[in-house]
Amino acid sequence: MGDKGERTRERILDVSQRLILQKGFSGVAIDEIVYEAEITKGGFFYHFKNRSDLARSLMERYLEDDDRIIKDLRTQSCELVDDPLQRVLAFLKLYADALGQVEEVHPGCLVASFTYESQQFDEVIHEQVRQGAESWKRLFIEHAEPALETHECEVSLDDLGDMLNAILEGGILMSRIEGNNAILHRQIMLFRDYVRRVFHPKAA
Amino acid sequence: MGDKGERTRERILDVSQRLILQKGFSGVAIDEIVYEAEITKGGFFYHFKNRSDLARSLMERYLEDDDRIIKDLRTQSCELVDDPLQRVLAFLKLYADALGQVEEVHPGCLVASFTYESQQFDEVIHEQVRQGAESWKRLFIEHAEPALETHECEVSLDDLGDMLNAILEGGILMSRIEGNNAILHRQIMLFRDYVRRVFHPKAA
DNA sequence: CGGGAAAAACCAGATGGTCGGTATAGTTTT
DNA sequence: AAAACTATACCGACCATCTGGTTTTTCCCG
């Protein structure tokens, strides 16, 4: 199988992502990536045209992975319960567990990292970041929409989608600052509690 | 007044903060700061020992400013209403308006910026960041505590404090991504709505 | 199935540039 | 006279990128 190159490429991406989330994109030298990935500089530039290309590839992979994870949890939640609102609540519990119940602290979100260095990147990456955030929001909204058939919601799903994104990003940040991943878990559960409170069964 | 030096120092800090929030700490060269602040390199190093010193001074000033702003809003809210819970809600409305009702998008938070480049900084700055986040949280908790005399709260104030921090940081991030500061305003108002829902008057 | 050419994957090293920081000597402002 | 700079030069480290060569893998032909 001709996947040796692919494996090296993935290793470069893994190492890069880890380093970037700790030091910021501009704070990571290619020399450092090359050293940690146990390749040479030539090897790096065989796989990536330049720094920008690395950034674009990283974000692409990150968003794809994230999308898959969220969709998996959504599917799981649908298999667990039938009621649309309960599915949303189950989904949020699964999400909280997935992100918050690991020992180590969350490594950070590439979307946040790149946003705080936005002027270093070209318009292609800005668009990737926007699409990513919008995609997360839409996944939540689509999952929550069926619940509107049987329930009234006091808040717009649009605002709730933004709120989930904000809580996630903010929760990751606070967890990193405190070195305590439990914060992230609890914050998602608080959001879940809020969702529970703003939905009311429709009076038939 | 012998504050010419102080004014230059402040100008350097202003320029640095603006640039860092756009490009990240590692992404900003001292040469660039020097150019934008219309001084020379010698002038820069007259005011700051080195890069680390700049970072520490920036964070120090940022936290002091932020602390003052929050305390002002808290005082304002106390002048507006008497009921402890209403004061918290008024405070959050004032906060939302202050941060969210400006035309331009929020420039970003230095605490978040530094956290996403944490490995670039020494332990002194890590401690500043931790203290900063804890300070914001404590200011909210102290402001909300009197409400517990007359009301029951279904959620711990500790968790609510973390939630406010998370919503703020996450809201700032989402606003920047979308280029729309209204998101930040609405997210703080959603948090306010949550606070309203978890507090119940005590049955005398 | 095996050898060999082509293509893919990777290495070693050089280049030109940038950056943080230092140093020095002088000038303006307070 | 002290504080607050300017002007300029310099250094060593670092850094992105390129060139040209080498190894490894693939795969096709016999």
Side-chain angles (χ1 to χ4, degrees):
Chain A
M1 345 164 173
D3 65 346
K4 171 141 188 279
E6 193 51 40
R7 285 205 323 274
T8 304
R9 196 185 127 99
E10 283 293 311
R11 199 170 67 247
I12 295 174
L13 288 174
D14 287 343
V15 166
S16 302
Q17 182 164 324
R18 180 169 53 80
L19 291 174
I20 287 169
L21 289 175
Q22 289 168 349
K23 315 172 91 173
F25 184 73
S26 320
V28 180
I30 293 181
D31 276 333
E32 207 178 342
I33 296 169
V34 157
Y35 175 78
E36 296 261 325
E38 294 177 301
I39 48 163
T40 60
K41 237 163 175 175
F44 176 90
F45 283 102
Y46 172 79
H47 287 285
F48 302 97
K49 261 197 6 243
N50 49 34
R51 258 176 150 268
S52 281
D53 188 28
L54 172 69
R56 251 177 277 125
S57 307
L58 260 179
M59 186 52 76
E60 199 178 330
R61 188 183 73 147
Y62 184 79
L63 293 179
E64 278 166 9
D65 287 356
D66 236 59
D67 208 69
R68 215 192 46 250
I69 291 171
I70 296 176
K71 281 180 176 160
D72 278 358
L73 293 180
R74 203 176 53 176
T75 306
Q76 274 186 55
S77 75
C78 287
E79 286 161 357
L80 282 171
V81 282
D82 280 337
D83 178 73
L85 179 59
Q86 291 305 315
R87 280 179 171 175
V88 175
L89 298 178
F91 166 76
L92 290 173
K93 176 75 166 71
L94 289 171
Y95 207 0
D97 288 354
L99 288 181
Q101 278 197 342
V102 272
E103 277 306 302
E104 325 89 51
V105 79
H106 194 287
C109 169
L110 216 54
V111 165
S113 179
F114 279 21
T115 299
Y116 266 98
E117 286 179 277
S118 56
Q119 215 170 85
Q120 304 285 346
F121 303 107
D122 55 37
E123 196 46 48
V124 176
I125 293 181
H126 293 167
E127 193 51 33
Q128 280 182 310
V129 167
R130 267 193 298 271
Q131 296 280 340
E134 200 194 306
S135 162
W136 295 336
K137 180 169 152 182
R138 204 171 40 240
L139 285 174
F140 173 79
I141 292 179
E142 281 169 9
H143 195 37
E145 236 153 20
L148 292 181
E149 304 266 330
T150 53
H151 291 73
E152 313 264 9
C153 182
E154 294 185 59
V155 181
S156 80
L157 289 187
D158 209 71
D159 281 347
L160 283 183
D162 282 333
M163 191 174 185
L164 177 55
N165 277 348
I167 283 279
L168 281 169
E169 293 291 358
I172 289 172
L173 195 83
M174 298 326 284
S175 286
R176 291 188 73 182
I177 291 176
E178 304 283 342
N180 171 14
N181 218 28
I183 298 177
L184 177 55
H185 183 266
R186 251 181 311 183
Q187 288 306 313
I188 302 177
M189 291 306 280
L190 281 186
F191 172 72
R192 180 177 176 274
D193 183 51
Y194 184 58
V195 170
R196 214 169 40 78
R197 287 169 196 269
V198 293
F199 275 91
H200 304 286
K202 271 187 184 166
Chain B
M1 349 162 178
D3 65 346
K4 169 139 189 279
E6 193 50 41
R7 284 205 323 274
T8 304
R9 196 187 126 97
E10 283 293 310
R11 199 170 68 247
I12 296 174
L13 289 174
D14 288 343
V15 165
S16 302
Q17 182 164 323
R18 180 169 53 79
L19 291 174
I20 287 170
L21 289 176
Q22 288 168 351
K23 315 172 93 176
F25 184 74
S26 319
V28 181
I30 293 180
D31 282 336
E32 203 179 344
I33 296 170
V34 158
Y35 175 78
E36 296 261 324
E38 294 176 302
I39 48 163
T40 60
K41 225 165 174 177
F44 177 89
F45 283 103
Y46 174 79
H47 286 285
F48 301 97
K49 262 197 7 243
N50 48 35
R51 265 180 142 261
S52 281
D53 188 27
L54 172 69
R56 252 177 277 125
S57 306
L58 260 179
M59 185 54 76
E60 198 178 330
R61 188 184 72 147
Y62 184 79
L63 293 178
E64 278 166 9
D65 287 357
D66 235 59
D67 208 67
R68 214 193 47 252
I69 292 170
I70 296 177
K71 280 179 176 160
D72 278 359
L73 294 180
R74 203 175 53 176
T75 306
Q76 274 185 56
S77 74
C78 287
E79 285 162 357
L80 282 171
V81 283
D82 281 335
D83 178 74
L85 179 59
Q86 291 304 314
R87 280 180 170 173
V88 175
L89 298 178
F91 166 76
L92 290 172
K93 176 74 166 71
L94 290 171
Y95 207 0
D97 288 354
L99 289 181
Q101 278 197 342
V102 273
E103 278 305 303
E104 325 88 52
V105 81
H106 193 288
C109 169
L110 216 55
V111 166
S113 179
F114 279 23
T115 299
Y116 266 98
E117 286 179 275
S118 57
Q119 217 170 82
Q120 304 285 345
F121 303 106
D122 56 36
E123 196 46 48
V124 176
I125 293 181
H126 292 167
E127 192 51 32
Q128 279 181 310
V129 167
R130 266 193 299 272
Q131 297 279 340
E134 200 194 308
S135 163
W136 295 336
K137 180 169 152 182
R138 202 172 41 240
L139 284 174
F140 173 79
I141 292 179
E142 281 169 9
H143 196 36
E145 235 153 21
L148 291 181
E149 305 265 331
T150 54
H151 291 73
E152 312 265 9
C153 182
E154 293 184 61
V155 181
S156 81
L157 288 188
D158 209 73
D159 280 350
L160 282 183
D162 282 334
M163 192 175 185
L164 177 54
N165 277 348
I167 283 278
L168 281 169
E169 293 292 358
I172 290 172
L173 195 82
M174 298 327 282
S175 287
R176 291 188 74 184
I177 291 176
E178 304 284 341
N180 171 14
N181 217 28
I183 298 178
L184 176 55
H185 183 265
R186 251 182 311 182
Q187 288 306 312
I188 302 177
M189 291 306 281
L190 282 187
F191 172 72
R192 181 177 175 274
D193 182 50
Y194 184 58
V195 170
R196 214 169 40 78
R197 287 169 195 269
V198 293
F199 276 90
H200 305 285
K202 271 188 184 166

